[in-house]
Amino acid sequence: FHLQAIKGASFIEFLLDKIHASTTARDLIFSPFQSDFFDENDKSILNSLFAAKTLFDNNSLIAITCRGHSAKSANLLSNLIVEAYEIALLQETAEKPLPGILRLEHEKIKELHVQIIGIKEQLAEEKMVDSRLNVEAIALRSEIQVLEQESQNYKRILTAIDKIFRDDLPKISYLEIDGFDEAGTLKDISETISSLENMLKQSDLGPTVRTEVEKNLKVNQALFENEIALAIERIKEKSINGLGKKKILSRRIVDLHKDEGNFGTSKYKYDSLKNLETELEERSLSYQRQYQEWKRSTYSILSVEMKQN
């Protein structure tokens, strides 16, 4: 595990970041090996500058051999490797393990999740109807219908917003979209702007008062534009969240069909779903055992040989 981790892509990237954090370390380690004639990146150079192996058939004893343009650079690299590895171990998570074999296994688990969700969404689109569905399924269908109506409403609003933007219509046009100004904030600001504009039309307005009115008008106009931008973002966010919730609820209905054996004409897909879920469960349990074993494992840097290139 530790041998894989030290020479793994994750740790190499982590170590590279640590080296790049110091201009002195970067120049001392890499500069002698970089060339204007060859397009070699720092990652490939770093990989070639140190080797790691286990000794005496004991995976906890690791020998690291570093080389450099000078003994100083090789010694610096060896110290950085040991220090960076200790930090990397502390910062590592089950979602981003250091050993390559564990990372590949975790990637496979994520792929299975994606495949399962994909099949569930396909099945959800088939809109199976079954009078035997329980109260939970009926409630879920009702909630999905509400979300679909909300989705259509948000789509209508976003289409109207897009038209105003493309046609370069006045900002006040946004107030004409039903459901755009939910809190009525924009309407209040718009009325304030109208009042201030009317005041400026008065010929008997004193210079001091006129200056103050103009100042307030600019503030409210900027506030109006800012509130429009915020309203658009809120509508987009609600639309995205609604679609996400609808997918989750739809997948839950698929689970209910599966649990009750209500496959209809989609038995093949449900069989595939069941197989994938079984594989996911088995891989997840296996991964948890492997990861716990990895976290319990110990290591020692038995020797660090420094070679001048």
Side-chain angles (χ1 to χ4, degrees), residues 275-292:
N275 291 335
L276 287 172
E277 288 180 332
T278 300
E279 184 181 356
L280 174 62
E281 183 179 3
E282 292 173 351
R283 281 186 176 272
S284 297
L285 290 173
S286 175
Y287 178 76
Q288 290 173 17
R289 288 193 295 268
Q290 291 182 71
Y291 186 74
Q292 289 170 4

Side-chain angles (χ1 to χ4, degrees), residues 80-135:
L80 284 172
I81 290 171
V82 174
E83 292 173 8
Y85 189 57
E86 290 178 355
I87 296 171
L89 287 174
L90 291 174
Q91 295 183 357
E92 177 207 44
T93 63
E95 287 70 35
K96 293 183 178 179
L98 284 175
I101 189 171
L102 292 182
R103 178 157 289 217
L104 287 173
E105 186 63 19
H106 191 264
E107 287 298 320
K108 180 60 180 176
I109 288 172
K110 288 198 295 185
E111 288 175 10
L112 286 171
H113 271 294
V114 171
Q115 291 179 47
I116 288 170
I117 289 173
I119 291 179
K120 284 187 176 182
E121 289 182 353
Q122 289 176 24
L123 289 166
E125 289 298 320
E126 295 179 7
K127 299 184 182 298
M128 293 176 62
V129 178
D130 191 336
S131 59
R132 295 177 301 164
L133 286 180
N134 58 27
V135 174

Side-chain angles (χ1 to χ4, degrees), residues 61-62 67 74 94 144 185 207 246 261 273 284 300 305:
L61 301 176
I62 303 171
R67 68 185 184 90
I144 288 173
T185 306
K246 178 188 170 185
L273 175 61
S284 297
S300 296
E305 299 177 22

Side-chain angles (χ1 to χ4, degrees), residues 194-206:
S194 295
S195 297
L196 292 170
E197 288 175 339
N198 289 330
M199 289 179 67
L200 290 175
K201 294 176 182 177
Q202 298 176 14
S203 58
D204 59 344
L205 207 62

Side-chain angles (χ1 to χ4, degrees), residues 53-63 302-303:
K53 63 180 180 180
T54 55
L55 298 181
F56 312 124
D57 296 325
N58 187 335
N59 289 335
S60 66
L61 301 176
I62 303 171
L302 185 65
S303 64

Side-chain angles (χ1 to χ4, degrees), residues 124 127 136-151 242 245-254:
K127 299 184 182 298
E136 181 184 0
I138 295 172
L140 288 171
R141 286 195 184 281
S142 177
E143 192 169 354
I144 288 173
Q145 288 177 353
V146 172
L147 289 171
E148 286 176 343
Q149 292 172 357
E150 290 178 352
S151 177
K245 188 174 181 181
K246 178 188 170 185
K247 287 183 178 181
I248 292 172
L249 296 179
S250 296
R251 293 198 292 265
R252 177 56 188 151
I253 288 181
V254 170

